[in-house]
Structure formats: C-alpha cells, structure tokens
C-alpha cells in the first residue's frame, strides 16, 4: 500500500449523522467558527485562530496536502445543517510499519453528543479495511478527559503516558497514548 493509493483522491465517508469529505475553500467560515474558540483549541497543538487569515492559512495547508496526495484530514459535515463542524483523520502514516496516527477537532456545540466517537469508529474501520493498517494510535494531553473518553468509546486502549513528548504553546507536555490493533478491531466487530 502506498500513501498515494489512498490520498490521491481522499474518498467521502459517511456516518449516521455526518459526512466526512475533503475540505473546500468555501468551508473557511465554518472552520473559523470552531477554530477561533479558545475551548476547542485549548488541548490542540495549534493556536486559537485570531483572524480569518489564520483559518485561511490552515485551510490552504490542507488543500495543498490534497493536491500533493499527502496525508490530510477529512472535514466533518453535520448532515442536518450542512456545516463543517470539525476535522478528523490521519496525521501521519508509517507505511513500512502499517500504522497511522489519528487526530481530530470538533466544534464545542457538538461535544458530549457522540459525534466524534461515531467519526473515529468510521475512520478506524477505514484504516483497517481499506488502508490495511495493523495499528492505529492517537494521543491527548492528560487533562483532556473528553478526548480520552472518545478514544476509549471508539475501542482504543490506553497504553501509557509519553513524558514530555511534545513542545506546544511554549512548554513541554506529556501525552496519553491510546491504540487499537487490527486483532482488537476484528474481535470488537465479530458477528455475535
């Protein structure tokens, strides 16, 4: 499997309440709406968007990744409103080791309603079924209890704390590491 095999044309996926699709330039106002929220960005590696230019810069980076067939996120579209309410997808993919790292952000208006768990389960399924991954991992700051719950509800297992793993927003931070391997995924999805 090659990265280009998947990311030359990132497919549209669907969950019960969302559509996962490529971001578009017209999504800029929706992205700014949640990207400019201090609560949303509190646990992310990126700073709160202060201006529409910050959002435009982010969006242009993602669109360039699409153009270069690089690993890039899906936009999460609420089926009911048609608005982009977040992003999710693989941030890195090690083809040689058949593993990838997940990341996500979601509008505060959709927190604690199961949306991100729904999205993550769909992306995990895509990773194992289409990308033929053996391991999918994700991490969060230890204080980000909501993100930890999402990973657990999506079937991921807590593996431990990676001490001072990243330098973000002016300081070194620990990360909680979660993973799911293909055998876990198959066991969780066996017909009963």
């Amino acid at each position: 499997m090659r990265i280009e095999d998947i990311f030359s044309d990132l497919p549209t996926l669907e969950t019960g309440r969302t559509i996962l699709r490529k971001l578009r330039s017209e999504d800029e106002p929706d992205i700014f709406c949640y990207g400019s929220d201090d609560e949303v960005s509190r646990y992310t590696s990126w700073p709160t968007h202060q201006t529409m230019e910050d959002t435009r810069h982010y969006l242009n980076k993602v669109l360039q990744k699409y153009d270069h067939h690089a690993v890039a996120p899906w936009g999460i579209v609420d089926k009911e409103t048609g608005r982009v309410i977040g992003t999710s997808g693989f941030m890195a993919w090690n083809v040689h080791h058949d593993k990838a790292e997940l990341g996500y952000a979601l509008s505060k208006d959709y927190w604690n309603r199961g949306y991100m768990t729904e999205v993550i389960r769909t992306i995990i399924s895509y990773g194992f079924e289409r990308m033929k991954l053996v391991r999918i991992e994700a991490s969060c700051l230890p204080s980000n209890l909501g993100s930890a719950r999402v990973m657990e509800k999506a079937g991921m297992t807590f593996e431990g704390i990676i001490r001072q793993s990243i330098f973000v927003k002016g300081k070194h931070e620990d990360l909680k590491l979660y993973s799911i391997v293909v055998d876990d995924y198959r066991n969780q999805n066996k017909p009963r």
Side-chain angles (χ1 to χ4, degrees):
M1 182 71 58
R2 298 172 319 140
I3 290 175
E4 304 82 47
D5 294 337
I6 298 298
F7 290 96
S8 62
D9 190 22
L10 190 65
T12 298
L13 305 177
E14 192 169 337
T15 76
R17 296 177 287 176
T18 69
I19 294 171
L20 309 180
R21 62 154 172 83
K22 285 182 177 180
L23 291 172
R24 305 172 186 144
S25 56
E26 58 264 27
D27 298 326
E28 192 176 297
D30 291 345
I31 297 169
F32 180 74
C33 188
Y34 70 82
S36 62
D37 186 328
D38 289 328
E39 286 190 65
V40 172
S41 65
R42 178 177 8 162
Y43 300 113
T44 67
S45 59
W46 45 268
T48 305
H49 295 192
Q50 301 299 315
T51 65
M52 197 66 91
E53 185 58 37
D54 295 336
T55 302
R56 190 170 301 120
H57 177 73
Y58 163 76
L59 186 55
N60 285 338
K61 281 174 41 178
V62 173
L63 296 177
Q64 286 176 6
K65 287 181 180 189
Y66 294 153
D67 289 344
H68 292 99
H69 313 298
V71 177
W74 280 276
I76 304 168
V77 178
D78 176 11
K79 284 182 180 178
E80 196 172 292
T81 65
R83 296 185 61 198
V84 172
I85 59 171
T87 57
S88 185
F90 296 106
M91 300 169 20
W93 178 8
N94 186 318
V95 176
H96 179 73
H97 294 291
D98 300 316
K99 71 177 184 176
E101 181 182 357
L102 269 173
Y104 46 86
L106 185 67
S107 167
K108 182 178 59 184
D109 296 339
Y110 292 83
W111 288 2
N112 299 312
R113 294 171 53 193
Y115 277 83
M116 192 52 75
T117 301
E118 189 177 303
V119 166
I120 294 302
R121 284 181 179 153
T122 298
I123 293 173
I124 286 171
S125 179
Y126 183 82
F128 288 131
E129 302 293 339
R130 177 70 176 94
M131 296 167 65
K132 305 302 179 197
L133 297 173
V134 172
R135 175 184 169 87
I136 296 172
E137 57 189 43
S139 60
C140 67
L141 296 175
S143 57
N144 191 346
L145 303 179
S147 185
R149 277 195 307 272
V150 165
M151 290 184 270
E152 290 163 1
K153 287 180 183 177
M156 302 181 87
T157 301
F158 174 65
E159 291 192 340
I161 302 286
I162 308 168
R163 297 177 359 171
Q164 297 184 354
S165 176
I166 58 170
F167 183 76
V168 61
K169 298 179 182 169
K171 60 184 178 178
H172 290 91
E173 295 277 8
D174 295 346
L175 289 175
K176 291 178 79 172
L177 179 65
Y178 286 80
S179 75
I180 183 169
V181 295
V182 69
D183 293 339
D184 297 341
Y185 169 76
R186 287 184 182 136
N187 286 334
Q188 292 171 8
N189 292 284
K190 276 184 185 172
R192 300 190 191 272

